[in-house]
Amino acid sequence: MRIARNSLIVLGLSALLTTGLATGTAVAEPPNIPSETTARSELAALTVQADGTSTGYSRDKFPHWDDQGGSCNTREVVLKRDGTNVVTDSSCAATSGTWKSPYDGATWTAASDVDIDHVVPLAAAWRTGASAWTTAKREAFANDLTNPQLIAVTDNVNQAKGDKSPDEWKPPLTGYWCTYAKMWIDVKYEWQLTIDSAEKAALTEMLDRC
C-alpha cells in the first residue's frame, strides 16, 4: 500500500510546484489525512508493545531533505505546499510567503521562522521499528511527501515537541488534536511502526475530540 502511494509522488511533484508557482495557491495541510473512522481502524491494527531504546540512533541514519527535482529539496517542497503566495528564487529557496502553523495558530512571513516537522519524529520511529530498517527505507520515511508525515509549523513549537509521542506532547491548539492524532496514526500504520499503551490511550482520547 505504502509503496504504491509513494510512487505517485514522483509523478505529482512537478505539477504541485508548477501549479503553486503559477497561482500562488498552497495546500494548507499534508496529503492523505484519513477520516476519523479510518484512523480508528488503523489504530486498532497497530501492534502495541513497549518502545525500544534510542541506542544507536542518529539523525544521520535518516538522510533527509532529499533533492526532489527542479532545484528543490524536500523542505522547500513542503514550504511551498503549506504556505500561501510563496515566492521562490532560482535555487527554490522561499524568498517570501505566509505560513500559518496549525499547531499553535501563529502566522509567519519568513521561512526561517518555520520548521518542517516530522509528525512521527525520527527518533520515535527508531524506537518503534525503524532501527531495523535499511538506510534507504529510513531515508524514504524522512522524506515522505505522500503520507501526512511532514508539515510546516512554528520552529520553537517543533523544537518543544522534540521526539515526544502524543502521551508526552500535543499541539498547543487543542482544536488540532483530532487532526494530529489522525496524521500520527496513519504514518505509524503506513510504515508499520509500533505504539505503546500510553501512546494508544492518548491517541484514542484525541480522536474523541473529532
Side-chain angles (χ1 to χ4, degrees):
M1 179 187 337
R2 172 177 50 79
I3 293 174
R5 284 169 63 176
N6 281 352
S7 66
L8 294 176
I9 195 62
V10 176
L11 297 175
L13 180 58
S14 177
L16 169 66
L17 291 171
T18 302
T19 301
L21 287 168
T23 66
T25 302
V27 179
E29 59 186 14
N32 295 316
I33 298 174
S35 66
E36 178 193 350
T37 300
T38 297
R40 288 185 184 277
S41 295
E42 291 177 347
L43 179 60
L46 292 175
T47 298
V48 180
Q49 65 182 45
D51 288 358
T53 71
S54 295
T55 302
Y57 168 73
S58 167
R59 284 181 67 86
D60 292 341
K61 294 183 178 180
F62 292 78
H64 50 287
W65 306 164
D66 283 356
D67 180 9
Q68 298 292 345
S71 301
C72 300
N73 64 27
T74 307
R75 170 182 164 82
E76 291 159 344
V77 169
V78 178
L79 283 172
K80 182 65 184 176
R81 184 197 70 194
D82 286 358
T84 301
N85 297 326
V86 178
V87 176
T88 57
D89 61 21
S90 60
S91 65
C92 201
T95 57
S96 64
T98 302
W99 293 268
K100 184 172 183 179
S101 167
Y103 286 3
D104 60 340
T107 299
W108 305 98
T109 56
S112 59
D113 290 321
V114 178
D115 275 359
I116 306 305
D117 179 38
H118 289 94
V119 172
V120 174
L122 305 181
W126 177 270
R127 295 191 297 266
T128 58
S131 61
W133 293 351
T134 63
T135 299
K137 186 172 180 178
R138 288 193 289 265
E139 181 174 13
F141 177 80
N143 294 276
D144 185 2
L145 291 164
T146 303
N147 301 300
Q149 163 67 341
L150 298 171
I151 188 168
V153 299
T154 302
D155 54 1
N156 60 0
V157 173
N158 182 46
Q159 290 152 22
K161 172 185 172 180
D163 65 353
K164 301 179 181 72
S165 57
D167 53 302
E168 302 170 308
W169 184 93
K170 299 175 180 65
L173 284 183
T174 58
Y176 198 68
W177 286 7
C178 167
T179 301
Y180 185 77
K182 291 189 294 183
M183 293 193 299
W184 182 285
I185 291 165
D186 190 62
V187 171
K188 286 245 170 164
Y189 177 80
E190 294 295 336
W191 288 91
Q192 299 181 335
L193 296 168
T194 63
I195 57 172
D196 65 24
S197 56
E199 181 183 349
K200 184 171 184 178
L203 289 165
T204 300
E205 292 174 0
M206 293 167 79
L207 287 179
D208 289 342
R209 291 178 172 265
C210 294

